[in-house]
């Protein structure tokens, strides 16, 4: 069965990588034990380390089922497993090796950033790069300035220690952001998601620089001035930028020319990425920025090896997160956290409601973000492994008060994952930054038939009420060209079904379609529309985008409002014929007819008459203050609005919805 074959292959690689990584993780401890324990006893000790270490990782992975049911971030469970196994936990493991924890932390974060870069589409840079850069630079500085002064006053410590503590928690965490945004069960609009992800991957240089400077100022107040700080920052960013892009370009050229076993491509990229990370750090640059950029360049190079790398790197990234958070959980003493919990709580609340919002608002003020988008980005300033890893550095450097800072920072991270991470789906709806996701397949898998030629397999599930029910898998809709479609497998009741001429689809069927890469994205959305519940999809789209789908090339004067050039026109008279990825028979199940009770007043008509010769695209583009994304609105009045349904890769409108809300809008931007 194709589905089982794919699953077994992927899980086989996961367990292979798991075994290799566990051995690498404990190799230093094993070498030490081998030297210090002669005779037969050392074998038992080694086996205990293997057993305990593997069980900790195993337990962490198994908690994912509990995490999904409770809606609590999985990373928090990883931390919990480590704390339960620590010196005050069930196993009582006394782990105080900060050097090893720092080594593992840096390696794991590098792996996570590489995976995040590999999955970052260059298209997201169009809408998120500029605001993310400002957030990653000025945003971090603004957060550290306000939070540092507050923490110094609250705890009653020297301002240098307070600012050091703020610098440690000043940046968002890539591991937490990538994990929770991409696996949080909600789809954000592209502008918000891209900004948050790029920010988390790019703000580490500023945070590391500030931590380094503040450690030096705590140890020797005369060691740095503004000139040296700016010089160091430029060196970190410049070297990281150049090496990351050059290395990514070189590796992307190398991959098509190297023919290896499937599992070896990811190991090649991971080893090269870590080499880039280490070399950049040695040259005074930001290794985190370099490895992230290298991943972006490689991930956007469509070659045979890329798919193998993405599949295995996903396992590497999850394993890195599990190992990282378990080790950090082992490092902390829960009773010490309890002693400073009130400081952690107050600092976290100040960070959440004062420092982060001020930094985000001042950073995004020039980019036309809506107030609710600014609010959501402020809320999702997730802290995770990066602050804890940075908090280790002052302890290793012997800074006075470093233990206090470590425990407070750890408490802030737990609160951030618990409150911010667990509320992402709810807050995305509260701030109205989510978009419907019914047009996506259940799963996808690429099969490469040449170095630059591939076929994509998409899995779709037939939902109750779907248009596809009772139809042949090759004749699901006239919107889908059967010449571009091939049924790869039909699975019914977990059994493979041979497709015959009289085969019809039933509720619960899983169908795998093979699509050429040139048409994959276009047809995947169309097929998903047909396989989802027709009534439910229409209701969701109508509630979000409005009942009427318009072409952006339609003139304002052709809108179906009485008093314009085409009074009460039916949808078929101005429906777009040029946007097949959006327009569908499913969108016209109900004829749209405005009436006098729908807030069509003289002021609205006067406004529309003045602009009736403009197209919808021209009118909306005049009102956009940022690059348009799905879900953006331009209000005609308090009740009527035009909503972006789809855009192309160049940011041009492809589909627009006309939406009516009976209630007065509070957000009219």
């Amino acid at each position: 069965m194709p589905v089982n074959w794919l699953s077994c292959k992927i899980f086989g690689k996961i367990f292979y990588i798991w075994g290799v990584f566990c051995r690498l993780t404990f190799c230093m401890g094993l070498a030490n034990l081998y030297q210090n324990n002669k005779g037969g006893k050392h074998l038992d000790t080694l086996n205990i380390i293997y057993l305990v270490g593997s069980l900790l990782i195993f337990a962490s992975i198994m908690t994912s089922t509990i995490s999904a049911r409770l809606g609590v971030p999985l990373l928090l469970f990883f931390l919990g497993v480590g704390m339960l196994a620590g010196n005050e936990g069930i196993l009582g493991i006394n782990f105080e090796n900060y050097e090893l924890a720092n080594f593992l932390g840096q390696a794991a974060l590098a792996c996570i950033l590489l995976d995040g870069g590999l999955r970052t589409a260059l298209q997201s840079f169009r809408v998120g790069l500029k605001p993310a850069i400002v957030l990653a630079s000025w945003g971090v500085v603004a957060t550290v300035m306000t939070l540092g002064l507050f923490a110094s006053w609250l705890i009653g410590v020297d301002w240098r220690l307070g600012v050091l503590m703020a610098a440690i928690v000043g940046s968002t965490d890539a591991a937490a952001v990538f994990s929770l945004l991409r696996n949080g069960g909600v789809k954000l609009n592209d502008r918000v998601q891209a900004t948050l992800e790029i920010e988390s991957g790019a703000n580490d240089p500023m945070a590391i620089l500030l931590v380094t400077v503040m450690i030096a100022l705590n140890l020797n107040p005369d060691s740095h001035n503004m000139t040296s700080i700016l010089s160091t920052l430029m060196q970190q960013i410049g070297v990281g930028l150049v090496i990351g892009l050059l290395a990514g370009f070189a590796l992307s050229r190398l991959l098509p020319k190297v023919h290896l076993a499937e599992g070896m491509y990811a190991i090649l990229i991971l080893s090269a990425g870590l080499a880039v990370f280490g070399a950049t750090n040695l040259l005074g640059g930001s290794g985190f920025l370099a490895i992230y950029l290298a991943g972006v360049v490689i991930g956007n190079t469509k070659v045979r090896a890329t798919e193998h790398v993405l599949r295995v790197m996903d396992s590497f990234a999850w394993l890195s997160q599990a190992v990282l958070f378990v080790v950090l959980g082992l490092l902390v003493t829960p009773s010490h956290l309890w002693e400073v919990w009130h400081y952690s709580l107050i600092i976290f609340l100040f960070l959440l409601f004062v420092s982060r919002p001020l930094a985000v608002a001042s950073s995004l003020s020039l980019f036309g973000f809506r107030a609710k988008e600014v609010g959501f980005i402020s809320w999702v300033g997730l802290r995770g492994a990066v602050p804890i890893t940075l908090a280790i550095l002052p302890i290793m450097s012997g800074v006075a008060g470093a233990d206090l800072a470590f425990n407070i920072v750890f408490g802030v991270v737990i609160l951030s994952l618990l409150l911010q991470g667990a509320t992402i789906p709810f807050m995305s709806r509260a701030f109205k930054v989510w978009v419907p996701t019914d047009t996506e397949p259940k799963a996808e898998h690429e099969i490469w038939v040449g170095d630059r030629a591939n076929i994509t397999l998409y899995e779709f599930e037939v939902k109750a009420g779907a248009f596809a029910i009772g139809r042949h898998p090759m004749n699901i809709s006239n919107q889908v060209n059967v010449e571009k479609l091939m049924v790869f497998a039909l699975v019914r009741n977990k059994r493979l079904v041979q497709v015959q001429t009289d085969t019809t689809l039933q509720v619960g069927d899983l169908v795998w379609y093979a699509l050429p890469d040139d048409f994959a994205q276009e047809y995947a959305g169309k097929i998903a529309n047909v396989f989802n519940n027709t009534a439910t999809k229409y209701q969701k789209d109508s509630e979000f985008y409005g009942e009427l789908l318009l072409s952006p090339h339609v003139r304002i004067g052709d809108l179906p409002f009485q008093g314009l050039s085409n009074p009460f026109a039916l949808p078929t008279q101005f429906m777009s014929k040029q946007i097949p990825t959006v327009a569908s028979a499913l969108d016209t199940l109900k004829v749209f007819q405005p009436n006098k009770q729908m807030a069509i007043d003289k002021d609205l008509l006067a406004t529309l008459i003045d602009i009736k010769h403009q197209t919808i695209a021209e009118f909306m583009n005049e009102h956009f203050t940022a690059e348009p994304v799905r879900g953006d609105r331009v209000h005609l009045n308090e009740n009527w609005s035009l909503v972006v349904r789809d855009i192309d890769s160049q940011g041009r409108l492809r589909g627009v919805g006309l939406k009516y809300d009976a209630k007065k809008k509070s957000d009219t931007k």
Side-chain angles (χ1 to χ4, degrees):
M1 186 181 302
V3 177
N4 289 341
W5 174 77
L6 294 175
S7 301
C8 292
K9 197 168 186 180
I10 293 172
F11 278 110
K13 293 188 181 301
I14 291 176
F15 284 111
Y16 170 75
I17 297 166
W18 171 40
V20 173
F21 200 91
C22 284
R23 283 159 178 78
L24 290 174
T25 301
F26 292 100
C27 65
M28 296 177 65
L30 297 181
N32 184 57
L33 285 169
Y34 186 81
Q35 292 178 356
N36 297 328
N37 293 279
K38 304 298 182 180
K41 286 188 175 181
H42 82 280
L43 293 177
D44 292 336
T45 305
L46 298 183
N47 288 326
I48 289 173
I49 292 177
Y50 278 123
L51 176 64
V52 173
S54 299
L55 287 178
L56 287 178
I57 304 300
F58 182 83
S60 300
I61 300 299
M62 291 303 296
T63 56
S64 62
T65 57
I66 304 174
S67 170
R69 293 177 183 176
L70 298 180
V72 178
L74 180 58
L75 304 181
L76 193 61
F77 278 85
F78 291 168
L79 274 178
V81 169
M83 294 173 68
L84 285 174
N87 57 355
E88 293 184 351
I90 298 174
L91 298 181
I93 298 175
N94 187 21
F95 181 77
E96 296 181 351
N97 192 332
Y98 289 98
E99 289 78 8
L100 178 59
N102 181 58
F103 167 76
L104 292 175
Q106 301 247 2
L109 287 172
C111 178
I112 293 165
L113 280 168
L114 176 61
D115 179 68
L118 289 169
R119 298 173 193 280
T120 300
L122 281 179
Q123 184 178 350
S124 67
F125 278 58
R126 177 181 60 83
V127 295
L129 180 60
K130 293 179 181 178
I133 289 175
V134 178
L135 274 175
S137 52
W138 163 249
V140 174
V141 173
T143 301
V144 172
M145 288 170 56
T146 54
L147 185 62
L149 294 176
F150 176 78
S152 302
W153 169 81
L154 175 68
I155 307 173
V157 297
D158 184 80
W159 70 269
R160 297 177 185 84
L161 182 59
V163 175
L164 171 61
M165 196 180 308
I168 291 172
V169 296
S171 66
T172 57
D173 181 66
V177 170
F178 288 143
S179 173
L180 295 175
L181 291 189
R182 296 181 179 183
N183 304 285
V186 65
K187 170 65 176 173
L188 304 177
N189 80 46
D190 291 338
R191 179 167 48 247
V192 171
Q193 178 132 353
T195 300
L196 286 168
E197 290 188 352
I198 297 173
E199 177 205 8
S200 69
N203 62 10
D204 291 319
M206 179 62 74
I208 294 171
L209 170 68
L210 293 176
V211 170
T212 304
V213 169
M214 293 314 302
I215 288 176
L217 288 178
N218 274 270
L219 296 175
N220 182 9
D222 299 325
S223 59
H224 282 280
N225 53 41
M226 186 57 65
T227 302
S228 64
I229 293 174
L230 291 176
S231 175
T232 303
L233 176 61
M234 292 299 102
Q235 180 181 355
Q236 286 262 316
I237 296 176
V239 175
L241 186 68
V242 172
I243 294 181
L245 292 176
L246 289 178
F249 179 79
L251 289 169
S252 66
R253 297 297 182 186
L254 175 65
L255 283 175
K257 300 177 181 179
V258 177
H259 297 279
L260 303 170
E262 287 187 8
M264 300 299 290
Y265 285 106
I267 298 175
L268 174 68
I269 295 300
L270 180 59
S271 60
L274 291 176
V276 170
F277 175 75
T280 306
N281 286 331
L282 288 173
L283 294 174
S286 170
F288 292 119
L289 178 61
I291 197 171
Y292 175 72
L293 291 176
V296 170
V297 176
I298 296 169
N300 284 275
T301 303
K302 198 76 172 176
V303 294
R304 183 188 189 101
T306 307
E307 170 63 13
H308 305 319
V309 171
L310 289 176
R311 289 206 305 270
V312 182
M313 278 301 303
D314 188 52
S315 304
F316 273 129
W318 275 110
L319 185 60
S320 297
Q321 292 182 57
V323 172
L324 173 59
F325 279 86
V326 168
V327 169
L328 294 178
L330 286 170
L331 202 60
V332 73
T333 303
S335 62
H336 294 170
L337 293 182
W338 182 251
E339 293 173 359
V340 296
W341 72 269
H342 52 293
Y343 288 139
S344 296
L345 177 61
I346 296 173
I347 289 175
F348 169 71
L349 293 176
F350 188 87
L351 174 64
L352 180 61
F353 293 110
V354 180
S355 293
R356 173 73 176 176
L358 286 176
V360 172
S362 60
S363 299
L364 301 183
S365 59
L366 300 177
F367 300 102
F369 279 65
R370 293 185 293 114
K372 290 186 176 181
E373 292 175 333
V374 173
F376 182 78
I377 292 173
S378 299
W379 182 266
V380 190
L382 292 163
R383 269 62 187 174
V386 170
I388 301 177
T389 304
L390 292 179
I392 295 174
L393 300 179
I395 296 177
M396 295 172 58
S397 302
V399 174
D403 290 329
L404 173 66
F406 178 83
N407 290 317
I408 291 176
V409 167
F410 207 106
V412 169
V413 169
I414 292 176
L415 291 170
S416 177
L417 292 175
L418 188 60
L419 181 59
Q420 295 171 284
T423 57
I424 286 178
F426 172 79
M427 298 304 290
S428 69
R429 287 172 170 79
F431 284 105
K432 297 182 179 179
V433 296
W434 67 282
V435 292
T437 57
D438 284 344
T439 57
E440 296 180 356
K442 185 175 182 180
E444 63 180 275
H445 180 76
E446 286 184 332
I447 296 179
W448 286 82
V449 295
D451 288 339
R452 295 186 179 272
N454 70 297
I455 296 174
T456 307
L457 300 180
Y458 287 98
E459 181 188 20
F460 301 91
E461 181 178 359
V462 181
K463 303 291 181 64
F467 187 77
I469 295 175
R471 293 177 173 269
H472 190 275
M474 288 293 292
N475 187 30
I476 53 176
S477 171
N478 59 9
Q479 295 289 321
V480 180
N481 186 351
V482 296
E483 295 179 359
K484 306 295 183 183
L485 194 67
M486 183 176 67
V487 178
F488 179 72
L490 171 61
V491 181
R492 180 175 295 163
N493 297 323
K494 300 182 179 181
R495 295 179 179 273
L496 190 64
V497 176
Q498 186 174 2
V499 178
Q500 306 288 349
T501 56
D502 59 346
T503 301
T504 57
L505 295 175
Q506 301 177 9
V507 176
D509 283 354
L510 299 176
V511 187
W512 284 82
Y513 286 105
L515 300 174
D517 187 56
D518 294 341
F519 303 93
Q521 294 298 325
E522 176 183 347
Y523 277 79
K526 290 182 178 181
I527 297 172
N529 286 338
V530 178
F531 275 73
N532 283 308
N533 186 304
T534 303
T536 302
K537 181 191 180 303
Y538 176 77
Q539 181 180 2
K540 287 182 179 179
D541 284 351
S542 297
E543 291 175 353
F544 190 85
Y545 297 110
E547 294 181 344
L548 189 58
L549 170 62
L550 306 171
S551 165
H553 307 297
V554 166
R555 293 187 307 116
I556 296 293
D558 291 330
L559 292 179
F561 294 129
Q562 187 176 22
L564 294 179
S565 62
N566 192 8
F568 290 103
L570 294 177
T572 53
Q573 292 178 270
F574 52 87
M575 283 286 293
S576 169
K577 303 300 182 184
Q578 307 300 322
I579 48 173
T581 57
V582 180
S584 165
L586 302 178
D587 292 309
T588 58
L589 292 177
K590 188 167 89 175
V591 175
F592 177 81
Q593 287 287 356
N595 56 59
K596 294 181 179 179
Q597 286 73 42
M598 298 179 75
I600 306 175
D601 53 28
K602 293 181 180 179
D603 292 336
L604 174 59
L605 289 177
T607 300
L608 296 177
I609 289 174
D610 289 340
I611 58 173
K612 67 179 183 178
H613 296 297
Q614 284 186 294
T615 65
I616 292 176
E618 291 170 345
F619 173 72
M620 295 186 74
N621 286 327
E622 287 180 357
H623 289 76
F624 288 140
T625 56
E627 288 283 345
V629 295
R630 286 177 58 203
D632 277 352
R633 298 186 178 200
V634 174
H635 291 276
L636 299 174
N637 68 358
E638 294 176 344
N639 300 91
W640 289 95
S641 57
L642 296 168
V643 187
V644 178
R645 289 188 61 144
D646 194 23
I647 58 173
D648 63 17
S649 59
Q650 303 300 317
R652 295 172 298 201
L653 301 183
R654 298 175 64 178
V656 177
L658 179 61
K659 181 173 175 58
Y660 171 78
D661 286 306
K663 295 182 179 180
K664 182 177 179 180
K665 295 285 184 184
S666 58
D667 179 16
T668 59
K669 186 175 181 179

